[in-house]
Amino acid sequence: MESFYALDHYKNGKFINQVPTSMSMDLKTNISMIRDFVKKNPNRTPKDGIPMEKIDVSLLHSKNNDTKITWFGHSALLIQIDGKNILIDPMFGNAPTPFPQFGGKRYSGGLPIEINELPKIDAVVLSHDHYDHLDYGTIKKIKQKVNRFIVPLGVGSHLVSWGVPKESISEHNWWDEFKFDQLTLACTPARHFSGRSLTDRNSTLWCSWVIIGETKKIYFSGDSGYAPHFKEIGEKYGPFDLALMECGQYDKRWSAIHMLPEETVQAFVDVKGEVLVPIHFGAFTLAFHDWNDPIERAVKAAKENGVKYATPKIGETINISTGEYPNSIWWE
């Protein structure tokens, strides 16, 4: 904790964003949110669940060195690169809240694979400590399979309290670049916030991630409002073969911390991505928009800007090495 005080983005015992980011809600805003909540938009959740592809477990355990990405819904992903299994923000629980009896349930009703069927995980990489990205139950179930936990500053304290050995955790600051076996990883900025209770707001860092293999580069945006850091990352590390970009759970009232879909596409252009994969939608209802509004708007903006994109179903694998980019319109 003492070392945090020397950081430019740590003030008065809290982490801060690179650019001013207000999250205060005035009376008018709060009233408008109550009105939207009472209105009860019936399309905030899918009427009949959503399609999901069961994962072929044998393929996950194969020693094929292709660079592949499998989406589990929301921001949970398995990245297989240079023979390594990297699990990103593995929220495999049924509701992203400490009070699941009151929270919205996972649209798909389950996962495309049983947790015990997952292969050995070389690293779990986390972007921040919010409940929809860091899930206690998931960590307890997978920790025996995981060699390393790679997290932003302060997040390791949660893991240690849940029984993860301290020596298995490495914490990183923005712009830290380091080797993980033959891979190069970089912890890069995001514009967001952190906290799991009323008393720990911004006590840990939030971030995005760069993953560089021998021939492929991947960017994962974490949660973020639109800001100059995307161009900074693109200048330093781009172009990326594929960028996994936050798209969902947005609202103009909190657009400083979650991008609108059109901003998602602009951020993708800023980081110099070659193929866009919108994430952070398709699993839970955490905002007032239609559940499929994020992907509809992101695809429309991508087409208008000449951006190549992939829209995998939950459980469907993208193979960057062979150029397999699923793009069915599964949400209609």
Side-chain angles (χ1 to χ4, degrees):
M1 184 70 72
E2 290 296 323
S3 62
F4 295 171
Y5 285 95
L7 303 175
D8 290 340
H9 49 282
Y10 192 79
K11 305 291 183 193
N12 302 317
K14 303 287 184 184
F15 286 99
I16 60 174
N17 285 295
Q18 286 180 315
V19 296
T21 303
S22 173
M23 288 180 284
S24 62
M25 294 284 188
D26 59 21
L27 180 61
K28 183 179 178 182
T29 301
N30 281 319
I31 289 172
S32 71
M33 289 177 64
I34 292 169
R35 181 200 64 215
D36 287 351
F37 184 77
V38 170
K39 218 166 38 176
K40 290 193 179 297
N41 172 7
N43 203 38
R44 286 180 69 206
T45 59
K47 293 179 179 64
D48 303 308
I50 60 173
M52 177 175 69
E53 292 211 354
K54 294 298 285 184
I55 293 172
D56 185 334
V57 177
S58 65
L59 292 179
L60 284 190
H61 289 265
S62 73
K63 295 299 180 183
N64 185 322
N65 268 1
D66 286 356
T67 300
K68 296 177 288 187
I69 297 172
T70 305
W71 184 48
F72 295 96
H74 206 59
S75 294
L77 303 138
L78 176 66
I79 298 177
Q80 297 175 285
I81 181 169
D82 295 349
K84 296 292 184 189
N85 292 318
I86 311 293
L87 204 52
I88 305 284
D89 283 2
M91 195 298 179
F92 294 154
N94 199 35
T97 166
F99 308 108
Q101 63 272 33
F102 301 114
K105 299 297 191 290
R106 184 181 291 273
Y107 300 159
S108 58
L111 297 170
I113 187 174
E114 297 299 324
I115 290 178
N116 60 9
E117 295 177 318
L118 285 170
K120 188 75 176 173
I121 302 300
D122 296 287
V124 164
V125 175
L126 299 173
S127 64
H128 63 301
D129 69 1
H130 284 159
Y131 283 88
D132 55 324
H133 295 260
L134 174 60
D135 179 60
Y136 168 79
T138 300
I139 298 300
K140 296 291 277 189
K141 288 176 181 175
I142 68 171
K143 64 182 182 180
Q144 301 301 329
K145 284 180 174 281
V146 180
N147 290 337
R148 189 119 199 111
F149 287 85
I150 299 172
V151 305
L153 294 176
V155 174
S157 61
H158 298 303
L159 302 175
V160 170
S161 71
W162 300 344
V164 176
K166 193 171 184 179
E167 58 272 18
S168 299
I169 304 166
S170 62
E171 292 192 347
H172 300 278
N173 189 24
W174 289 342
W175 302 116
D176 281 357
E177 182 182 311
F178 55 97
K179 297 293 284 188
F180 177 64
D181 292 341
Q182 74 272 37
L183 301 177
T184 298
L185 271 66
C187 176
T188 44
R191 187 188 186 193
H192 200 54
F193 71 111
S194 67
R196 293 174 69 83
S197 72
L198 296 175
T199 60
D200 68 347
R201 170 71 67 92
N202 295 345
S203 62
T204 64
L205 188 60
W206 49 93
C207 71
S208 56
W209 287 98
V210 170
I211 300 173
I212 303 172
E214 291 180 10
T215 63
K216 304 298 180 188
K217 283 196 286 187
I218 296 168
Y219 175 68
F220 169 70
S221 73
D223 281 8
S224 184
Y226 183 73
H229 68 273
F230 291 114
K231 278 190 176 174
E232 294 171 10
I233 294 164
E235 290 298 325
K236 186 172 176 65
Y237 290 109
F240 293 95
D241 296 278
L242 184 139
L244 301 149
M245 304 294 296
E246 185 224 57
C247 177
Q249 322 315 325
Y250 50 77
D251 192 290
K252 287 182 179 178
R253 290 165 292 200
W254 58 80
S255 60
I257 56 167
H258 282 300
M259 290 183 283
L260 303 177
E262 295 75 20
E263 292 176 313
T264 294
V265 174
Q266 183 58 56
F268 167 83
V269 172
D270 289 355
V271 297
K272 301 182 179 177
E274 294 184 3
V275 179
L276 164 67
V277 180
I279 58 170
H280 205 250
F281 80 103
F284 308 108
T285 296
L286 300 171
F288 296 108
H289 57 67
D290 288 4
W291 78 270
N292 55 352
D293 192 53
I295 192 66
E296 288 276 4
R297 286 173 59 178
V299 165
K300 182 174 183 286
K303 289 177 177 177
E304 290 171 352
N305 288 274
V307 162
K308 185 176 180 180
Y309 60 88
T311 55
K313 296 190 282 287
I314 291 172
E316 194 169 16
T317 296
I318 295 167
N319 190 322
I320 301 176
S321 299
T322 60
E324 294 171 47
Y325 297 111
N327 60 4
S328 66
I329 309 173
W330 56 264
W331 54 89
E332 289 188 349

